[in-house]
Amino acid sequence: MQNKNSLIIFAILIATIYFTLQVITIGSRDIPVTYWAPKEEGCIIEISIAKEFIKDFFAYFGYGDGKIDVQFLKDNSIILQQSVQAAFYQGKIVPVNNIVDKIIIVTHGNNIEIKEIAARKDYKNFLNLTKAVINILKGSKYIGNPNNIVDEQSKMRTILNYRYSSYFDEIYHARTAYELLKGLPPYDLVHPPLGKWLISIGMAIWGVNPFGWRFVNLIFGSIVLVLLLILLTKLYKPSFWCGIAITILLASDFLHNNLSRTANIDTFSLFFVILCSIFGMSYINNMRYMREKLDRTDMVYFLTFSAGGLAFACKWNALYPIIPVLTISFGYKLYNIIKNNNKKSWILKTVKQGVLSILAFTIPYYLTYLPITIKYPYYNLPWAIISDFIMLQKHIWKYHSTLVATHPFSSEWYQWLLSTKPLWAYYDNLLPPNLRSSIAYLGNPVMWGLGLLAMAYLLVVAAKNPKNNLSLFIVIASYVSSIVPWIFISRIKFIYHYYLALPWLYIAVVMVIDNLNLKQSLKKKVAITLSVLGLIMLVIFYPAVSGLTVSAKYIELLRIMKSWIF
């Protein structure tokens, strides 16, 4: 017990350090605040300036849909016209490379916020658009002063950087979180809403900005480091240094760093998957060794299914890795019923427990939808709280089962195993050619490769003595069930779909270390060596993982595979 408590204290310390180092750079709160928002189609705004060479033009959008057509003129002649699609709190760039004395913006859509525009002469020098003459040429319905789009010019010098702009799926997840927070109709309902509700908490605390919409993800990504250790102690009694190692291995994992630093819903899925597994293993251990009273054991059983329902309420694929622990938990419940009842009564009690298990799973899931179905009913209330819920489930199924899409950085399940196809999620176009700020969702092929070997080793060990290796089978089954469904799913896939398999991968690594027939001092050295190796590799690859600005040549050196593009 003392060893376990010490491990948890160290895990909390590591998680605190992880959070502290990351929170400094996850995003900024200092973004453009004021805006001009046309409320009718085809508004036209004119920005007149002294003749200047413009290399690039920038627009930073707020909330809303639509696009703008930007015309660049010289002596009243159009020399360039470009359409720019608005995205949630995101900066956009238009290469110009011409002398310009007038910019005309035509808006399309009646729900678009233009927070700020800017233009630069070269990589260092920006025009001072605060002196520009701004006129509305067409449109009388709008919110905000037109001069608001040039009143925060100092904030535009780095506006394309991830610290100030949304990127990749944040344009969906952070936007929907914003809508839930503001009581607006939610945009993204192709996934359940719990993850977006959680993201909205950060916005409620810190405001609508990159720091606000990423904050809660980092909190959960840090807590997961502690939960993983707790799960490990439920599976077996790890040595001290293997317990420390598993926390460091996940903390130094490239993909975990990626997803902890951005507004996504996979971090929350992982959190509840591990929580469900902790409760499940607690219940299984209680049933195997009769450690707790039956009423307390029942509570842990239902908490297992409720945590599973919360994982499912983040993303449906969170069900895959918890199928083994849910199945085995129900199996032990069924065994206990049959053991203590006659045939007639055990059938009825089995049906009752099955229904209660489904309710424990479904009720938390359903509750995440309830505020949406009440505020924006498609059908009439009160029936909407049921009919709308069913309709939204059909919507999710139809979307993902019929999705036909392509993406240059999509990947197949076998490419995830050694991270041979990363996802290039972000690139800063503001920087000169000799500098690079880039974010790639990728894994550490060395650690992931060791994890695969560890899984194979555990399978051999478990097969030799199946009766006494239930924990090994659960680890193997959870890992396999995280991946196998993706083999048969035809829709577009990405490397982050492998994220929920990572806990089991690292559990396998430390289990193997403890299982090896080595002296304890040597096991300690192996655990420390792997931990240090993971940290060193994270430091080396951190610029590609985090968006840290470094030389372009350094980023090129990190492309250790030809298929690594970032």
Side-chain angles (χ1 to χ4, degrees):
M1 180 61 72
Q2 185 176 2
N3 185 54
K4 180 180 176 180
N5 292 338
S6 299
L7 276 174
I8 292 174
I9 291 171
F10 272 97
I12 293 172
L13 178 61
I14 292 168
T16 303
I17 294 170
Y18 179 86
F19 175 83
T20 304
L21 293 176
Q22 302 278 18
V23 75
I24 301 168
T25 59
I26 59 168
S28 175
R29 298 176 65 197
D30 188 23
I31 62 172
V33 176
T34 62
Y35 62 89
W36 176 70
K39 292 301 175 182
E40 58 183 312
E41 171 66 24
C43 285
I44 302 175
I45 188 168
E46 177 188 74
I47 303 101
S48 299
I49 60 175
K51 284 186 180 179
E52 290 276 6
F53 175 81
I54 294 180
K55 174 177 171 43
D56 298 302
F57 171 83
F58 304 95
Y60 187 76
F61 298 98
Y63 174 72
D65 294 307
K67 68 175 183 176
I68 60 175
D69 291 332
V70 189
Q71 300 172 354
F72 302 92
L73 296 84
K74 177 185 174 185
D75 299 329
N76 290 322
S77 296
I78 297 175
I79 55 178
L80 178 68
Q81 179 170 313
Q82 180 75 48
S83 291
V84 182
Q85 185 68 43
F88 181 80
Y89 281 78
Q90 191 173 87
K92 296 293 183 76
I93 183 172
V94 178
V96 181
N97 295 311
N98 272 291
I99 294 174
V100 174
D101 59 15
K102 191 178 292 183
I103 302 169
I104 293 177
I105 297 175
V106 182
T107 67
H108 299 284
N110 57 7
N111 186 29
I112 182 173
E113 291 178 0
I114 304 174
K115 285 190 165 286
E116 196 77 7
I117 64 169
R120 66 177 178 181
K121 304 175 185 179
D122 51 44
Y123 287 112
K124 292 183 179 180
N125 300 301
F126 277 67
L127 275 66
N128 183 8
L129 294 186
T130 57
K131 298 180 180 180
V133 178
I134 298 178
N135 294 302
I136 301 287
L137 301 183
K138 180 183 176 183
S140 58
K141 297 178 181 178
Y142 54 84
I143 297 174
N145 190 317
N147 288 289
N148 285 349
I149 65 174
V150 295
D151 67 342
E152 299 174 274
Q153 291 290 286
S154 62
K155 296 179 181 180
M156 294 295 285
R157 292 182 174 273
T158 53
I159 201 61
L160 298 188
N161 189 275
Y162 78 92
R163 292 172 297 163
Y164 308 95
S165 276
S166 63
Y167 68 92
F168 195 56
D169 279 350
E170 286 185 331
I171 63 174
Y172 310 120
H173 302 323
R175 171 184 169 163
T176 305
Y178 170 87
E179 290 164 337
L180 293 173
L181 177 66
K182 299 296 183 180
L184 300 169
Y187 174 77
D188 172 20
L189 288 173
V190 299
H191 293 293
L194 179 56
K196 275 86 77 173
W197 282 115
L198 293 170
I199 292 170
S200 72
I201 295 172
M203 291 189 189
I205 298 171
W206 301 108
V208 184
N209 51 67
F211 183 85
W213 65 64
R214 293 170 189 158
F215 181 77
V216 178
N217 278 88
L218 182 57
I219 290 283
F220 274 69
S222 302
I223 296 174
V224 156
L225 302 177
V226 180
L227 292 184
L228 183 58
L229 172 64
I230 295 173
L231 175 57
L232 185 69
T233 62
K234 299 294 182 181
L235 290 162
Y236 81 110
K237 187 176 180 180
S239 63
F240 179 81
W241 287 102
C242 280
I244 295 295
I246 197 166
T247 308
I248 294 175
L249 288 174
L250 185 59
S252 61
D253 183 83
F254 300 169
L255 191 57
H256 183 66
N257 276 264
N258 286 140
L259 297 177
S260 295
R261 295 171 52 84
T262 185
N264 68 93
I265 52 182
D266 298 273
T267 312
F268 306 121
S269 295
L270 184 70
F271 176 92
F272 289 111
V273 162
I274 296 178
L275 190 63
C276 171
S277 302
I278 289 172
F279 287 134
M281 285 308 305
S282 295
Y283 173 75
I284 291 167
N285 289 336
N286 289 343
M287 295 301 293
R288 291 174 73 189
Y289 308 115
M290 296 300 175
R291 293 174 177 172
E292 304 282 355
K293 292 182 179 179
L294 193 59
D295 56 346
R296 185 170 179 179
T297 299
D298 281 343
M299 182 182 70
V300 175
Y301 172 82
F302 289 115
L303 285 173
T304 302
F305 281 81
S306 294
L310 292 173
F312 196 59
C314 295
K315 215 170 182 179
W316 277 10
N317 68 289
L319 179 64
Y320 303 157
I322 58 176
I323 288 173
V325 75
L326 292 178
T327 303
I328 295 171
S329 295
F330 183 74
Y332 269 103
K333 174 64 72 175
L334 180 59
Y335 172 78
N336 190 58
I337 291 172
I338 295 172
K339 180 182 176 182
N340 295 299
N341 295 275
N342 59 47
K343 185 175 182 180
K344 184 177 180 180
S345 62
W346 77 253
I347 292 176
L348 292 174
K349 288 186 178 181
T350 298
V351 172
K352 177 184 174 182
Q353 287 299 324
V355 171
L356 291 175
S357 301
I358 292 171
L359 288 174
F361 185 93
T362 306
I363 289 173
Y365 179 82
Y366 169 77
L367 290 175
T368 65
Y369 279 95
L370 192 58
I372 298 171
T373 57
I374 291 175
K375 188 169 181 63
Y376 294 102
Y378 184 81
Y379 299 100
N380 293 327
L381 289 170
W383 307 114
I385 62 175
I386 300 298
S387 57
D388 282 19
F389 172 74
I390 295 171
M391 178 187 69
L392 290 171
Q393 308 317 301
K394 291 179 179 178
H395 172 64
I396 294 176
W397 175 261
K398 183 178 180 181
Y399 175 84
H400 292 285
S401 62
T402 62
L403 178 64
V404 178
T406 59
H407 193 285
F409 298 104
S410 64
S411 53
E412 293 297 328
W413 67 272
Y414 52 84
Q415 294 175 303
W416 307 338
L417 304 181
L418 293 175
S419 186
T420 57
K421 185 78 178 289
L423 189 163
W424 192 8
Y426 154 84
Y427 172 71
D428 188 349
N429 286 333
L430 263 172
L431 296 173
N434 64 315
L435 295 176
R436 186 72 55 83
S437 174
S438 190
I439 295 177
Y441 290 2
L442 74 160
N444 183 334
V446 175
M447 292 302 172
W448 288 13
L450 287 173
L452 291 176
L453 293 175
M455 278 290 173
Y457 179 89
L458 290 186
L459 184 59
V460 172
V461 172
K464 288 181 178 179
N465 188 9
K467 290 185 178 180
N468 298 318
N469 283 307
L470 178 61
S471 292
L472 300 190
F473 277 117
I474 289 174
V475 171
I476 296 165
S478 300
Y479 174 77
V480 171
S481 65
S482 301
I483 302 170
V484 168
W486 293 106
I487 299 174
F488 304 100
I489 292 173
S490 59
R491 60 145 287 173
I492 191 171
K493 299 179 279 288
F494 298 97
I495 191 172
Y496 58 76
H497 290 134
Y498 190 58
Y499 187 45
L500 300 183
L502 296 184
W504 314 105
L505 201 70
Y506 289 125
I507 287 172
V509 170
V510 297
M511 273 186 157
V512 167
I513 295 172
D514 272 334
N515 191 266
L516 290 174
N517 189 21
L518 300 173
K519 291 182 179 180
Q520 199 61 38
S521 59
L522 189 54
K523 291 181 182 181
K524 172 183 173 181
K525 290 178 181 178
V526 173
I528 292 173
T529 300
L530 283 181
S531 301
V532 172
L533 179 61
L535 290 171
I536 290 173
M537 293 194 72
L538 175 63
V539 170
I540 293 170
F541 283 88
Y542 194 71
V545 169
S546 67
L548 181 68
T549 301
V550 294
S551 72
K553 289 183 178 179
Y554 184 81
I555 293 294
E556 290 169 6
L557 290 174
L558 298 181
R559 297 172 186 161
I560 59 177
M561 299 185 194
K562 289 183 179 180
S563 57
W564 282 23
I565 300 173
F566 50 79

